[in-house]
Amino acid sequence: MFAENTGEEIDYGIVESDIDAFESDIETFFTQDNVVGCNVTAPFKGRAYELSKNNCNAEAKTAEAVNTLFMKDGTLLGYTTDGMGLVADLHSQVGSLVGHTVLLLGAGGATRGVVEPLLGAKVKGLYINNRTEIKAQAIVDAIKSPVFECVSKNDLTSLQPDIVINCTSASLTGDLPQVSTSVFKRCSLAYDMVYGKGETRFMEFAKTHGAKKVSDGFGMLVEQAAAAFTIWTGKKPDTAKVIEALRPR
Ligand code: ATR
């Protein structure tokens, strides 16, 4: 759909890699004529990072994971595009993030991939809370930004961010991260990174407690794919059309 939309002629298919042969499969893949890049999915994102870690974007370094490889002038470049995808979807839902305060819930791989792009979008404050606090603190310590801080469960009661993003994997099992209901009081958007048919438990919970708008992560899914497409082709597809056409109903 992106190719159709931008007038590119591409071939995008699936290659199944052997668990013992990912590195040589990638090498072989890039020896083919006209190959520019590929997406990489679980369980190979860490190994794709190892292959490209001298030439990857900041968020890939923080996450130690790469979902997009691009061969440019003989150099293998690595990217994680999840953060770009999230920021693009937030921009289309709430406009500029400049001056906004954002709370991230969770401190796993999903969180690690989005911190730098959110800071790059010039948020005024970026807060992180995790069930296991030490993991959230470790991300803050690794990134070192004056506007990025860890908040404990107790401190959440005095935090009223503009945007709350659920980066935990809790929704996948129908669970909710333990979070003070007051964080939704002045919240203009509560965002759950997962998606499916209908609203997640987190979205329902946020709405009940005051979030003005709620969203799942389907837009982020399309936008992270679009970011990879742009890396490979230099062209920006109209993602709104694709989100509308593919959204699970
Ligand atoms: P991912 O790569 O999807 O981020 P992960 O690295 O396993 O997956 O991280 C999962 C995150 O969701 C962690 O922050 C985890 O909290 P802990 O660090 O305390 O384990 C969080 N998480 C998962 N289930 C949760 C739940 N029921 N309540 C709160 N947090 C949860």
Side-chain angles (χ1 to χ4, degrees):
M1 291 178 83
F2 295 155
E4 224 172 69
N5 186 258
T6 55
E8 285 280 303
E9 234 180 73
I10 66 158
D11 195 2
Y12 183 81
I14 301 168
V15 180
E16 188 177 9
S17 183
D18 195 295
I19 196 79
D20 299 319
F22 175 72
E23 291 73 14
S24 59
D25 283 351
I26 287 291
E27 207 180 313
T28 310
F29 177 73
F30 280 107
T31 58
Q32 299 171 96
D33 284 345
N34 298 323
V35 162
V36 288
C38 61
N39 288 123
V40 178
T41 190
F44 295 119
K45 291 183 186 182
R47 285 161 70 178
Y49 166 71
E50 287 300 325
L51 288 177
S52 59
K53 66 180 175 190
N54 295 326
N55 296 293
C56 67
N57 64 354
E59 50 270 40
K61 273 209 170 80
T62 304
E64 297 188 353
V66 152
N67 70 359
T68 301
L69 289 170
F70 176 36
M71 187 64 81
K72 193 182 180 203
D73 305 327
T75 303
L76 188 65
L77 310 181
Y79 302 81
T80 178
T81 61
D82 292 340
M84 299 177 210
L86 172 68
V87 168
D89 196 32
L90 293 176
H91 277 155
S92 67
Q93 301 213 37
V94 295
S96 167
L97 300 181
V98 176
H100 283 57
T101 51
V102 179
L103 168 65
L104 300 174
L105 302 172
T111 307
R112 286 178 169 269
V114 301
V115 172
E116 273 107 344
L118 285 168
L119 291 171
K122 304 253 180 315
V123 295
K124 185 170 77 183
L126 184 60
Y127 305 94
I128 176 170
N129 169 266
N130 191 44
R131 181 173 63 182
T132 315
E133 203 176 312
I134 192 169
K135 282 165 73 179
Q137 190 60 52
I139 300 180
V140 171
D141 293 345
I143 288 177
K144 292 191 189 71
S145 156
V147 298
F148 184 34
E149 51 180 283
C150 184
V151 279
S152 67
K153 198 174 157 194
N154 288 344
D155 289 346
L156 278 182
T157 51
S158 54
L159 192 70
Q160 296 190 345
D162 301 311
I163 299 172
V164 181
I165 304 174
N166 182 17
C167 317
T168 73
S169 49
S171 295
L172 296 175
T173 48
D175 291 328
L176 266 180
Q178 293 295 308
V179 60
S180 153
T181 56
S182 57
V183 299
F184 300 110
K185 233 180 190 163
R186 296 227 313 257
C187 172
S188 50
L189 175 66
Y191 193 98
D192 200 341
M193 277 194 187
V194 306
Y195 63 90
K197 274 189 193 158
E199 295 191 342
T200 65
R201 222 178 128 198
F202 174 79
M203 289 161 70
E204 285 167 1
F205 183 77
K207 208 157 58 178
T208 307
H209 294 288
K212 286 186 194 70
K213 186 174 173 184
V214 294
S215 171
D216 68 10
F218 187 72
M220 175 180 173
L221 172 77
V222 173
E223 294 287 1
Q224 62 81 30
F229 182 85
T230 303
I231 288 165
W232 299 321
T233 64
K235 297 204 174 157
K236 276 185 186 277
D238 179 352
T239 47
K241 270 191 192 163
V242 179
I243 293 170
E244 179 52 29
L246 299 185
R247 175 172 281 291
R249 287 173 225 277

